[in-house]
Amino acid sequence: MLAENCYIVSDETNDCIIIDCGAYSEMEKKCIEDYITEAHLTPRMHILTHGHFDHIMGSKWIYEKYGIKPTIYEADTDTYNNFNKDTEAFGFSIDYNLPAIGQYLTDGETIEFGTHSFKVTHTPGHSKGSVIYYCDEEKVVFTGDTLFKSSIGRTDLPGGSMFQIIQSLRKITQLPDDTKVYPGHGGTTTIGYELATNPYLDR
């Protein structure tokens, strides 16, 4: 509904991690299922960058299809659990409940899958429990709604803070300039490009 990006990250082992499944329509679900099936992938985790409804709507389907409950940073538990209330606030009516949270993330932990790993960094500001996932082996980072190409996430929603997001962005800018950024909305970018063009970033 809000053009949210869902990512399926895999390697040569065919293990994969799903990031932010916001799939709502049957077409969206079929696209994801077909990709996983045709690539012979095995989903291991469904990890969330934060708990806003457009990033978690597919959690129910992922659980029903693959038996995987979502993993989230604990500070966004209430946001996740208030899914139906939040959708109504944006003018949407969705009449189903999400599965219970399966696991909680901790700041600085490492998530491993296949031969790769993600470092989890807590980046509050867009929401209390926003996180990013950085893969050093590939120099890629999944930033959710903390950092977009040429912009940043909004801070006027419950749990948002401009002060906190600026501090979080400073953490992100410590990554190498050639790190590729995969945001929660919009196109990809790099840390170097954002440092050169994004008015919210400095190092």
Side-chain angles (χ1 to χ4, degrees), residues 91-104:
F92 302 120
S93 179
I94 299 176
D95 60 354
Y96 61 74
N97 295 318
L98 299 179
I101 295 168
Q103 300 178 59
Y104 286 114

Side-chain angles (χ1 to χ4, degrees), residues 119 121-123 132 134-136 139-141 143 146-147 165-181 190-195 200-203:
K119 180 182 178 183
T121 301
H122 183 212
T123 54
I132 62 170
Y134 174 63
C135 179
D136 185 59
K139 285 192 178 178
V140 298
V141 62
T143 58
T146 300
L147 174 64
I165 204 169
I166 293 300
Q167 300 306 309
S168 295
L169 291 166
R170 286 176 178 158
K171 294 180 186 177
I172 296 174
T173 59
Q174 300 311 302
L175 297 174
D177 285 2
D178 58 347
T179 301
K180 193 165 186 178
V181 177
T190 65
I191 294 296
Y193 179 85
E194 294 310 305
L195 278 167
Y200 294 98
L201 269 61
D202 61 42
R203 179 177 281 165

Side-chain angles (χ1 to χ4, degrees), residues 12-191:
E12 68 278 2
T13 68
N14 287 354
D15 279 355
C16 74
I17 286 181
I18 301 167
I19 303 176
D20 285 358
C21 185
Y24 178 68
S25 71
E26 293 306 312
M27 180 192 71
E28 291 167 341
K29 296 171 187 176
K30 186 176 186 305
C31 285
I32 293 171
E33 181 181 354
D34 286 351
Y35 177 81
I36 290 173
T37 300
E38 291 168 10
H40 305 290
L41 302 179
T42 301
R44 298 299 184 188
M45 295 181 74
H46 178 204
I47 57 177
L48 306 175
T49 60
H50 63 294
H52 287 154
F53 78 93
D54 51 325
H55 291 255
I56 67 175
M57 283 191 293
S59 295
K60 179 176 185 289
W61 174 71
I62 292 293
Y63 177 59
E64 292 173 347
K65 181 68 183 176
Y66 301 107
I68 301 172
K69 292 181 178 180
T71 297
I72 194 172
Y73 199 80
E74 190 168 7
D76 263 11
T77 299
D78 288 344
T79 304
Y80 179 90
N81 290 333
N82 287 330
F83 166 74
N84 297 99
K85 182 179 178 181
D86 287 345
T87 57
E88 291 173 2
F90 275 80
F92 302 120
S93 179
I94 299 176
D95 60 354
Y96 61 74
N97 295 318
L98 299 179
I101 295 168
Q103 300 178 59
Y104 286 114
L105 299 163
T106 57
D107 186 33
E109 79 168 283
T110 298
I111 295 174
E112 296 183 352
F113 71 102
T115 61
H116 288 72
S117 62
F118 286 146
K119 180 182 178 183
V120 180
T121 301
H122 183 212
T123 54
H126 178 65
S127 71
K128 291 181 179 179
S130 289
V131 297
I132 62 170
Y133 301 107
Y134 174 63
C135 179
D136 185 59
E137 297 97 331
E138 306 290 344
K139 285 192 178 178
V140 298
V141 62
F142 298 86
T143 58
D145 287 5
T146 300
L147 174 64
F148 303 132
K149 184 176 183 179
S150 302
S151 188
I152 63 172
R154 59 190 295 183
T155 59
D156 60 332
L157 298 173
S161 165
M162 177 57 77
F163 174 79
Q164 286 187 325
I165 204 169
I166 293 300
Q167 300 306 309
S168 295
L169 291 166
R170 286 176 178 158
K171 294 180 186 177
I172 296 174
T173 59
Q174 300 311 302
L175 297 174
D177 285 2
D178 58 347
T179 301
K180 193 165 186 178
V181 177
Y182 291 89
H185 301 271
T188 59
T189 183
T190 65
I191 294 296

